[in-house]
Amino acid sequence: MSLTEQNITLWGDDIPWLAGLREKGLNAFNKAGLPTAKTEAWKYSFKAVGQTENLQIDTAPHECDGHCHHLHDLPFKAYQIHVCDGKLHGEHFDLPQGVSLKPLVEAIYDGDAKAYLNKSFEAEKFPFAALNTAYLEHGFMLVIERGTVVDEPIFIRYHNEHTTNTFNNIRNLIVVESRAKAEIIEYFDGNGIGNINNIVNEIFLSTDSSLQHYKLQSESASTRHISFNSIQQKSGSSYKCFVAQKECTLARHESYIKLMQEGASAEVNGIYKLNSDGVSDITTNIRHLAPHTISNQLVKGVVDGHAKGVFQGQIHIAPDAEQTEGYQLHRALLLSDEGEVDCKPELEIFADDVKCSHGATCGDLDKEQLFYMQSRGININDARRILIEAYLQEVLNKIDNSAVAEWIKAQF
Amino acid sequence: MAEPILEIKNLSATVAGKEIIKNLNLTINADEVHALMGPNGAGKSTLSYVLTGKPDYEVTGGEIRFCGKDLLAMKTDERASAGLFLSMQYPVAIPGVATNNFLKHAVNAKRKYEGLPELDAAEFLKLLRTEAKNLNIGADMLKREINVGFSGGEKKRMEILQMSLLKPSLAILDEADSGLDIDALKLVADGVNKLHNETNALLIITHHLDLLNHIEPDIVHIYADGHIIKSGDKNLAIELEKSGYKTFVDAE
């Protein structure tokens, strides 16, 4: 059975616009097909997608034996939301005034979702996002209402524990209304085996709103994690993303950001650390579509063993987007002969008055620094660990919430 | 008779295939201060790197015993924990590593080697504050990343601070006086003198008499072309300052 021949019925197939949307997704995927060496956006990581013939979509209702209950050892306060084995846990959520969260199907039923669903990207360009649309059912719609400043992070834990060879499609809509401000933390973990977790976040930032988007990807070794984040930003809005990827078969975080109006700014920072044979792929496409927009990217990775680190960063500056600034830097430590680091920066600049830069470095740990530490009695393993920690710290320093930074650091 | 701390016998060493140390013999006993003086390029720093076991410095002959142990069989960090310290001519900067964390790692590595419990943050800070104060090193400097943006004088004081925390049996000071003004030189010399006692020894590598006026040497060696060509007391250094290295090297 292939990914497109799942014999299942989805909620709301009798709603014409929804059925139409799913069909559009399916057609877009069929046209594009699974990524190959010729798919530019996937040229370094398509192989890691691997076997898909044996995957099934799990249509059983969510039955929870309690494993998805709250994390009690989080070192900071947070509003916790749980997506267990691909399904949202519960229907009522303990959230503060001005914040609403609904299962996606409820948001579709209530008529809230239609204005946003599939509105932020072009399906034919993103095969897995198209497939996500074809099967959209699970996920949530989160709305931060106008002017609401959320006092604690909204912590979303995606925990895959009891699934094997499952194709989990999760679709979230995140709407931050004007002058609202929130932090969300996505945490992916669990011992599920051989799954593809295909997550699409469509994020809409209204005028002068702000969203801090933290993500820690820490799933089982056999997981293929494919996350597509499509962000649309209005004037004066600020999106700041920090992604941390630990090792699994494939961990891909793709950001597709449209700075649509003046004064919008976006940041994508990230770290990854690989020791065995996994692939980490951080792909960004930041589109400056209006003047006075700013973007910054800093990604650092550590690659050992037979692993592969990929960074693809595109900065597009539209013809009228004058006085924009776009900066990008990817640095990697390549610690083994068998490891691989691929970096592809792309700048497309159609305006004249812009400031742009990109850079990439790849190297081993500094021998002089290692010797200096050893000459002070620190053994080679500790010296390497300290230097790697220091290397990643520069990116961790970009996280505004220091408790969250410490939490992420502790897992690296 | 004092215990020998360092015994170098017939040592030869190469760097990148080039022989830099040629049949060197040197014994340093506890309580002694040795000065190694010589022209640029004589291989003085090479000796300090061979002793500390820097990669790419290859020993091709001879042996070195340190406190009775076979030094060449030990790794760099083991040598340090066993009591060998090198104050480097050009200490390297390590962005991202706070000075106080670095120092804590170093102190605890040695304690671990000696079978002592590691110091916790509070215990360590107490120790650090006392030692840092003697060298006029403030809390601000200890919070900075180690050697990042440090002036020449700050770097040298940081080296001596590490020495005072690690309390080595043998401290090699490689050009510890270079780039220091008179006050800083005195601070560094005082720090070194305070640590020196009858159980440990110093090997001072220098071009000039300056530092030796502050740290009194027992034995002065003139080092050229990879080995010692003449040894004597402090008067040799004074003579050297007057006549220059060339006289000695030519006489060889």
Side-chain angles (χ1 to χ4, degrees):
Chain A
M1 189 165 9
S2 80
L3 288 179
T4 54
E5 288 162 351
Q6 304 277 327
N7 187 21
I8 54 170
T9 43
L10 296 167
W11 180 90
D13 266 342
D14 53 340
I15 302 172
W17 72 264
L18 183 58
L21 196 61
R22 285 172 176 151
E23 199 183 331
K24 235 171 96 182
L26 191 63
N27 290 341
F29 176 79
N30 281 333
K31 219 168 145 189
L34 281 168
T36 67
K38 288 179 185 160
T39 315
E40 186 59 32
W42 281 86
K43 64 195 255 189
Y44 300 115
S45 50
F46 73 96
K47 275 188 193 156
V49 173
Q51 170 73 258
T52 56
E53 295 296 309
N54 61 340
L55 294 179
Q56 301 257 357
I57 289 176
D58 174 16
T59 52
H62 171 52
E63 279 174 26
C64 180
D65 63 1
H67 70 258
C68 64
H69 283 164
H70 277 49
L71 282 175
H72 295 290
D73 54 355
L74 274 183
F76 48 84
K77 283 187 172 178
Y79 300 105
Q80 294 199 32
I81 306 295
H82 300 268
V83 180
C84 318
D85 294 329
K87 292 156 193 172
L88 189 66
H89 177 81
E91 290 178 349
H92 300 286
F93 308 95
D94 185 21
L95 289 164
Q97 188 82 26
V99 180
S100 78
L101 187 128
K102 290 177 181 177
L104 182 66
V105 291
E106 193 182 317
I108 291 171
Y109 183 78
D110 290 348
D112 300 338
K114 195 178 174 186
Y116 298 101
L117 208 46
N118 223 40
K119 293 287 195 261
S120 64
F121 64 95
E122 305 74 28
E124 60 278 10
K125 287 189 190 167
F126 307 99
F128 279 95
L131 210 45
N132 182 286
T133 303
Y135 293 117
L136 72 83
E137 178 172 10
H138 292 289
F140 58 78
M141 180 168 181
L142 172 68
V143 180
I144 316 294
E145 290 167 17
R146 181 183 295 261
T148 303
V149 176
V150 189
D151 57 344
E152 290 167 11
I154 298 164
F155 184 95
I156 305 143
R157 182 188 188 191
Y158 303 82
H159 187 75
N160 268 54
E161 192 65 29
H162 299 119
T163 45
T164 301
N165 299 333
T166 303
F167 185 42
N168 289 310
N169 290 284
I170 298 166
R171 181 63 155 264
N172 300 320
L173 300 174
I174 297 169
V175 178
V176 187
E177 294 183 350
S178 60
R179 297 188 325 281
K181 202 174 166 186
E183 295 169 275
I184 60 168
I185 302 169
E186 291 190 290
Y187 176 45
F188 294 85
D189 73 336
N191 297 308
I193 297 163
N195 301 322
I196 287 188
N197 295 330
N198 185 26
I199 302 102
V200 173
N201 289 319
E202 289 190 82
I203 299 174
F204 301 85
L205 298 186
S206 271
T207 310
D208 297 327
S209 67
S210 154
L211 182 69
Q212 307 256 4
H213 182 185
Y214 305 113
K215 170 177 167 182
L216 173 59
Q217 190 278 334
S218 178
E219 290 157 304
S220 66
S222 61
T223 300
R224 287 153 288 171
H225 173 102
I226 301 168
S227 143
F228 178 71
N229 300 270
S230 179
I231 296 104
Q232 283 205 352
Q233 295 187 238
K234 291 194 175 165
S235 72
S237 66
S238 154
Y239 173 71
K240 202 168 166 183
C241 173
F242 183 95
V243 51
Q245 303 204 131
K246 291 173 79 175
E247 189 160 18
C248 63
T249 300
L250 170 64
R252 176 171 162 115
H253 183 91
E254 186 168 4
S255 298
Y256 183 60
I257 300 173
K258 290 180 182 165
L259 301 168
M260 305 180 71
Q261 294 179 348
E262 289 203 24
S265 67
E267 240 180 77
V268 178
N269 301 310
I271 57 174
Y272 59 88
K273 195 164 128 189
L274 315 171
N275 299 312
S276 88
D277 56 2
V279 176
S280 163
D281 176 342
I282 294 177
T283 293
T284 64
N285 184 344
I286 301 185
R287 307 187 71 77
H288 293 258
L289 304 175
H292 301 284
T293 50
I294 299 173
S295 71
N296 268 292
Q297 302 172 63
L298 175 65
V299 173
K300 277 185 163 185
V302 182
V303 175
D304 207 343
H306 292 76
K308 188 198 258 198
V310 178
F311 177 79
Q312 307 180 96
Q314 201 176 102
I315 299 173
H316 169 94
I317 298 184
D320 297 327
E322 302 294 349
Q323 299 193 335
T324 55
E325 295 175 37
Y327 306 105
Q328 178 192 99
L329 180 61
H330 173 249
R331 297 182 67 194
L333 283 176
L334 182 55
L335 303 179
S336 69
D337 292 336
E338 295 78 24
E340 183 179 326
V341 173
D342 298 293
C343 181
K344 187 178 71 184
E346 286 175 275
L347 303 184
E348 295 178 336
I349 301 175
F350 298 103
D352 300 319
D353 183 11
V354 302
K355 285 184 198 162
C356 271
S357 70
H358 68 85
T361 64
C362 182
D364 203 343
L365 288 169
D366 186 294
K367 281 188 182 134
E368 293 293 327
Q369 293 176 346
L370 281 173
F371 172 68
Y372 188 68
M373 297 177 91
Q374 287 173 276
S375 80
R376 299 307 183 239
I378 299 167
N379 71 48
I380 182 77
N381 290 334
D382 285 346
R384 290 171 75 92
R385 185 178 50 72
I386 293 164
L387 286 183
I388 288 169
E389 219 172 81
Y391 187 79
L392 298 177
Q393 186 62 45
E394 185 192 357
V395 197
L396 286 160
N397 288 344
K398 303 261 178 195
I399 297 178
D400 294 329
N401 186 328
S402 58
V404 174
E406 283 303 313
W407 175 70
I408 292 173
K409 186 181 173 180
Q411 320 215 20
F412 267 77
Chain B
M1 177 77 192
E3 289 289 312
I5 290 196
L6 184 72
E7 298 162 277
I8 301 175
K9 285 178 193 156
N10 305 319
L11 181 73
S12 296
T14 59
V15 184
K18 196 174 169 230
E19 190 170 50
I20 307 285
I21 296 175
K22 300 168 185 171
N23 204 27
L24 173 73
N25 287 285
L26 174 65
T27 299
I28 299 177
N29 296 312
D31 198 25
E32 291 177 354
V33 177
H34 287 235
L36 195 67
M37 305 184 75
N40 285 326
K44 303 188 298 293
S45 291
T46 297
L47 176 62
S48 71
Y49 290 145
V50 167
L51 290 172
T52 46
K54 191 170 186 180
D56 304 329
Y57 287 72
E58 196 186 340
V59 173
T60 51
E63 64 167 323
I64 307 174
R65 301 199 75 78
F66 177 66
C67 299
K69 292 180 199 139
D70 178 4
L71 187 77
L72 296 175
M74 299 161 81
K75 291 181 196 148
T76 297
D77 56 294
E78 292 167 346
R79 297 179 194 195
S81 295
L84 180 65
F85 181 83
L86 169 61
S87 166
M88 295 198 193
Q89 188 179 358
Y90 304 110
V92 65
I94 311 181
V97 178
T99 299
N100 48 16
N101 279 343
F102 177 85
L103 298 175
K104 186 167 170 236
H105 280 297
V107 166
N108 279 333
K110 182 167 188 186
R111 290 180 66 89
K112 213 168 147 186
Y113 181 86
E114 290 170 342
L116 295 169
E118 293 187 18
L119 296 181
D120 66 24
E123 291 167 325
F124 173 73
L125 279 176
K126 201 176 155 196
L127 171 71
L128 179 60
R129 261 195 223 120
T130 317
E131 299 292 351
K133 207 176 153 197
N134 293 334
L135 288 158
N136 203 10
I137 292 174
D140 285 354
M141 192 166 149
L142 296 171
K143 277 184 204 152
R144 282 161 66 187
E145 299 165 309
I146 184 137
N147 293 328
V148 176
F150 283 22
S151 69
E154 285 175 328
K155 281 185 185 169
K156 292 295 153 80
R157 275 187 284 148
M158 184 53 65
E159 293 293 284
I160 303 307
L161 173 61
Q162 295 180 39
M163 176 180 161
S164 60
L165 288 167
L166 295 172
K167 303 205 172 11
S169 307
L170 176 65
I172 306 163
L173 309 179
D174 190 1
E175 308 274 346
D177 49 348
S178 68
L180 296 186
D181 60 31
I182 298 161
D183 294 347
L185 182 69
K186 197 162 177 310
L187 212 58
V188 164
D190 287 350
V192 174
N193 284 328
K194 200 179 265 176
L195 286 164
H196 179 49
N197 60 40
E198 68 284 356
T199 66
N200 59 32
L202 297 173
L203 176 60
I204 297 165
I205 297 174
T206 184
H207 289 294
H208 309 290
L209 202 55
D210 288 3
L211 188 61
L212 301 182
N213 287 329
H214 290 93
I215 308 172
E216 199 71 17
D218 299 304
I219 302 168
V220 174
H221 308 280
I222 299 177
Y223 187 85
D225 193 28
H227 61 284
I228 289 165
I229 57 172
K230 191 168 185 170
S231 300
D233 59 14
K234 196 189 167 189
N235 288 322
L236 183 61
I238 296 167
E239 204 182 317
L240 188 65
E241 187 92 343
K242 278 183 201 148
S243 61
Y245 290 112
K246 201 166 179 297
T247 317
F248 290 92
V249 175
D250 289 350
E252 241 269 283

